[in-house]
């Protein structure tokens, strides 16, 4: 074959023969079952089939929203509060996806604590917290909605809150039902809980995946390919929780396999990934607006100057799910 024919032959090779496009996504926390669809899409080859080489970046002390805004990553997995705070402060980010279709957080206390039977009883009690303004607004709202006075003592303990509650050193804390809640059951702790949405707090979606608007504008096909493969990964996990748990255990450093297995079961049984006919990952604008309104009214969302932001205007630019219909 002469040089001209060889050149023409090489140019005619299909795109599939080219190297996969390298992209990255930063996590909001250490690897856990919230991220199961990302791991599934990577390890089952869904990203590779889409022509993507996806690097799931390990969690660092830098918030995933900050890494995304700075251009250090192409996508970010973000907590709802992290994303909404970033947008309120002026970060130019856009959400493409919401993992959990309902709030997984809840207020938890020891069942044997006879002084707590309803949220109003939390007045004057000791709360083990995590240091965010959201917590005071959340708990205060729940107490007031139940007719109590939103006055309680707070000790900031971070993840040490769960051991403090178990020992009786504090009266209540907040937990994620699909992780800490499962762990408490495994450990045999007798605990009860109140759901936020039963006491004046809007139900919210959580686990946003987002990018920067310029990347969405410049590489819409890549964004669509990544999101569709991600959606495929989460849909598979929802249909195969046991297999998904095994995939997570193989991918991460989990000292307790039973926790991962129990978490996946709780996620699927609780209809967190799927809500009826709602597509996996769909963002509910009404719930987004209600939560933004709640946070703004309670002074939780801050602008770039650190002052509370009361009016955030049109939220339609905060999210984009055009990829779902492409």
């Amino acid at each position: 074959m002469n040089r001209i024919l060889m050149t023409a032959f090489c140019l005619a090779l299909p795109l599939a023969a080219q190297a996969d496009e390298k992209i990255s996504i930063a996590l909001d926390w250490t690897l856990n079952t919230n991220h199961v669809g990302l791991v599934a899409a990577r390890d089952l080859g869904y990203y590779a089939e889409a022509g993507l080489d996806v690097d799931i970046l390990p969690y660092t002390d830098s918030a995933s929203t900050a890494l995304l805004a700075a251009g250090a990553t192409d996508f970010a997995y973000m907590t709802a509060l992290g994303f909404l705070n970033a947008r309120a402060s002026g970060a130019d980010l856009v959400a493409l996806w919401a993992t959990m279709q309902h709030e997984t957080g809840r207020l938890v206390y020891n069942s044997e604590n006879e002084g707590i039977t309803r949220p109003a009883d939390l007045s004057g009690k000791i709360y083990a917290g995590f240091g965010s303004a959201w917590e005071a607004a959340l708990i205060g709202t729940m107490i007031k909605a139940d007719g109590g006075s939103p006055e309680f003592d707070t000790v900031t303990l971070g993840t040490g809150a769960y051991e403090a509650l178990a020992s009786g050193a504090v009266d209540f804390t907040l937990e994620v039902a699909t992780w800490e809640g499962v762990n408490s059951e495994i450990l045999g702790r007798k605990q009860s809980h109140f759901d936020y949405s039963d006491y004046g707090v809007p139900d919210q979606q959580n686990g946003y995946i987002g990018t920067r608007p310029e990347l969405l504008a410049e590489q819409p096909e890549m964004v669509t390919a990544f999101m569709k493969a991600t959606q495929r990964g989460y849909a598979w996990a929802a249909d195969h929780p046991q297999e998904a748990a095994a995939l997570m255990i193989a991918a991460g450093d989990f000292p307790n396999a039973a926790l991962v297995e129990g978490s996946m079961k709780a996620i699927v049984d609780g209809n967190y990934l799927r809500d009826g006919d709602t597509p996996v990952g769909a963002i509910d604008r009404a719930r987004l607006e209600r939560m933004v309104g709640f946070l703004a009214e309670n002074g939780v969302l801050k602008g770039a100057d650190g002052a509370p932001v009361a009016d955030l205007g049109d939220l339609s630019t905060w999210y984009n799910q055009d990829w779902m219909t492409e």
Side-chain angles (χ1 to χ4, degrees):
M1 184 179 294
N2 63 37
R3 186 182 300 275
I4 294 176
L5 289 177
M6 178 65 74
T7 300
F9 175 77
C10 291
L11 290 174
L13 287 174
L15 292 178
Q18 298 180 1
D20 290 342
E21 183 173 1
K22 294 183 179 296
I23 61 175
S24 62
I25 179 168
L27 299 184
D28 61 321
W29 194 244
T30 54
L31 191 69
N32 60 70
T33 47
N34 289 347
H35 312 127
V36 63
L38 301 173
V39 173
R42 182 193 66 187
D43 294 353
L44 295 177
Y46 299 160
Y47 288 139
E49 289 178 25
L52 303 173
D53 179 3
V54 178
D55 186 10
I56 301 176
L57 302 177
Y59 173 73
T60 69
D61 290 337
S62 297
S64 60
T65 50
L67 293 173
L68 180 60
T73 183
D74 301 300
F75 299 90
Y77 192 102
M78 309 171 287
T79 65
L81 189 61
F83 168 64
L84 298 179
N85 263 323
R87 279 295 317 218
S89 65
D92 197 12
L93 310 178
V94 58
L96 306 168
W97 165 282
T99 302
M100 299 300 176
Q101 293 299 308
H102 296 285
E103 176 64 76
T104 55
R106 60 190 187 184
L107 189 151
V108 63
Y109 60 97
N110 291 327
S111 302
E112 63 185 17
N113 189 336
E114 297 179 354
I116 301 177
T117 60
R118 51 189 290 182
D121 295 334
L122 301 174
S123 296
K125 299 295 193 297
I126 302 174
Y127 164 63
F130 304 87
S132 73
W134 148 255
E135 298 161 56
L138 165 69
I139 298 166
T141 296
M142 294 178 70
I143 293 174
K144 286 189 291 184
D146 195 41
S149 176
E151 299 173 359
F152 52 93
D153 295 323
T154 299
V155 290
T156 302
L157 298 177
T159 54
Y162 306 112
E163 292 301 324
L165 178 62
S167 69
V170 299
D171 295 303
F172 67 100
T173 190
L174 307 180
E175 71 173 12
V176 175
T178 56
W179 193 257
E180 288 87 10
V182 172
N183 190 52
S184 290
E185 290 182 6
I186 292 173
L187 294 174
R189 294 171 177 169
K190 295 181 179 180
Q191 296 177 338
S192 301
H193 69 272
F194 302 125
D195 291 325
Y196 307 158
S197 59
D198 288 340
Y199 298 96
V201 181
D203 182 33
Q204 71 169 333
Q205 296 177 298
N206 213 331
Y208 286 98
I209 293 175
T211 189
R212 297 181 302 282
E214 63 266 27
L215 186 67
L216 181 59
E218 295 169 3
Q219 301 186 60
E221 293 182 356
M222 181 274 285
V223 172
T224 294
F226 172 73
M227 291 310 305
K228 285 188 176 294
T230 297
Q231 185 181 45
R232 187 180 173 191
Y234 275 100
W236 176 85
D239 291 335
H240 306 86
Q242 292 182 326
E243 295 91 333
L247 207 64
M248 288 296 299
I249 292 166
D253 182 19
F254 299 102
N256 188 351
L259 175 55
V260 179
E261 295 163 353
S263 178
M264 278 308 307
K265 184 177 188 303
I267 287 172
V268 173
D269 290 352
N271 298 315
Y272 289 112
L273 290 180
R274 282 208 178 98
D275 181 11
D277 295 330
T278 301
V280 175
I283 295 174
D284 184 330
R285 177 172 180 169
R287 274 188 282 171
L288 173 64
E289 291 179 341
R290 283 195 293 271
M291 181 51 70
V292 169
F294 173 81
L295 295 173
E297 289 170 10
N298 285 277
V300 177
L301 298 181
K302 307 291 179 60
D305 60 358
V309 179
D311 184 8
L312 292 159
D314 182 12
L315 303 182
S316 63
T317 60
W318 288 33
Y319 70 99
N320 184 308
Q321 291 204 298
D322 290 347
W323 62 268
M324 276 194 173
T325 58
E326 294 177 358

